[in-house]
Amino acid sequence: MTYAMIGTWRMAFEGIQKAMADLKNGGQSTDAIETAIKKVEDYPFFKSVSYGGLPNAQGLVEMDAAFMDGNTFAIGAVAGISDVKNPISVARQLSDDHFNSFLVGAGASQYAMFNGFESRNMLTERAHKIWMQRIKEINEKNLSPYDGHDTVGMVSLDQAAGMAAGTSTSGLFMKKPGRTGDSALSGSGFYVDSEIGGATATGLGEDLMKGCLSYEIVRLMGTGLSPQAACDQAVYPFVEKLKKRYGKAGEFSLVALNNQGEWGVATNVEFTFAAGNQDAAPQIFMANPGPSQTTVIEPISAEWLEAYAKRIKAPVE
Amino acid sequence: MTYAMIGTWRMAFEGIQKAMADLKNGGQSTDAIETAIKKVEDYPFFKSVSYGGLPNAQGLVEMDAAFMDGNTFAIGAVAGISDVKNPISVARQLSDDHFNSFLVGAGASQYAMFNGFESRNMLTERAHKIWMQRIKEINEKNLSPYDGHDTVGMVSLDQAAGMAAGTSTSGLFMKKPGRTGDSALSGSGFYVDSEIGGATATGLGEDLMKGCLSYEIVRLMGTGLSPQAACDQAVYPFVEKLKKRYGKAGEFSLVALNNQGEWGVATNVEFTFAAGNQDAAPQIFMANPGPSQTTVIEPISAEWLEAYAKRIKAPVE
């Protein structure tokens, strides 16, 4: 039977590897999402998700996460949560409730503490140093404080044809306290319907929510389009529309998986992702916008991976 | 030239009346949304929006609001904001920013204070009494604490063909601290594209966000459907899908307006709304689900209005 996973950015890879081993053994897509995203959340060298994520402008690591079950449409989400080790697990537990399943701010953090989720100071020494350095650079070089916003988003398919989706992020770099993006927002940051497929987004949340692109990609797959055609047809015309109507478009990238284990990607910027299915072990790819509203996808090079590994662990002054 | 407005619930009426007078004189749809929703927020006898709104389970009035400009897709939103007189005005101002335009929790309240928005204790004596009474009833009669969640949502069209949408709510009655629903969520609580039309929702936010119904209605209008056909085709099949997949469906109602000033409504529960355009002065209507996935709409009766006015002002022990 078919099983598959896709996730945004190179950082998704190890989590997907681990979760796909479970899917191969008959594991459920809902468990796979939590397993894979927790692995990303826990890794201290990813500076845009959970532990090790950069703090907001006031120095607090505020996180957003969401979980959706494609069988039932049940959604759980948190925005602006702090001091909790695994926001994705909080979001998943919230998806069991019919009421009060999306919590924000202090209420979200209180819920996590009260329900026994592991508490943790999410600000690493390294993230603190990067934050200090950024503030210095912003002041000295007049850089945009908001350059960087990499969400991990994943979609999974299990052998019982169940699908799920999840997201987790510490949000826009140097964001204002309380800022949230698309990651916790159904239809914008994620959407999944087990009878069709799922999609998830990363990029400038403020622009992603203008287009409800995750929902739109799933809808297009539901009309019979392949995940790649659905991504291309949803994303590139919207980028043009946004430039025309809003005057500009932030960077964003979307990935999709259908209920046959086929996947697709569209992006207006260089973008890495990880994907695999029953026929192909998970691997890392590089996507770029191609000609005529298409996407160019290549396997990642060993050089790129090596440079990445060096970069994320490079000493910070 | 054409101009029009529609808003959820009987409570929208006076605000729409006031704002449509401005639209008639050439006012902008963005201003109309803020004017009309402020009027609802300020009226102390509406117990589900802003001043006079019921507090959460801990006794704090936490509010959600959003604003969207249909010309540019600019969105501003707040969730879990407290102690601010007009959340819709905060949301509108946030829509001017490309970054940090959706704020939650304490960060949202801080932004409002810091930017000079009028501060107010939003808990009226009446709301406090109703809350105390509810707690008593819930304990004594084993009632669901979550019975009630009426958002004001509006869509407007001005004579320059500009459209806008906005929402405001104090959320689900007896909600947990930090709970948010669909009202601040693009695509679920609201969506508007001036080249097509707009839609907005009220009801159980946890279920509305499972369907992205506001986006879907606008999309359907974009394929050429009338607002009424778009509402019917988006809402009723989704109610059935939700019952089948999730096992149940909360109450919800959606209203839509296109860029010709025509409107439509769909609901799975008795629902009042207010609407008007250049040809018809604003009035209050009653909608109910009809046979074969249609909606039955009638002018409101004088008896209903009288009973409503009595009910919302009835003494609370």
Side-chain angles (χ1 to χ4, degrees), chain A residues 186 191 193 209-210 245, chain B residues 186 191 193 209-210 245:
Chain A
S186 166
Y191 197 76
D193 178 342
M209 72 179 77
K210 296 180 174 89
R245 304 274 290 272
Chain B
S186 167
Y191 197 77
D193 178 341
M209 70 179 78
K210 296 180 173 90
R245 304 274 289 273

Side-chain angles (χ1 to χ4, degrees), chain A residues 107-124:
Chain A
S109 308
Q110 283 164 17
Y111 172 91
M113 300 304 120
F114 198 75
N115 285 276
F117 287 91
E118 193 175 337
S119 173
R120 187 173 201 175
N121 173 12
M122 302 303 280
L123 182 61
T124 61

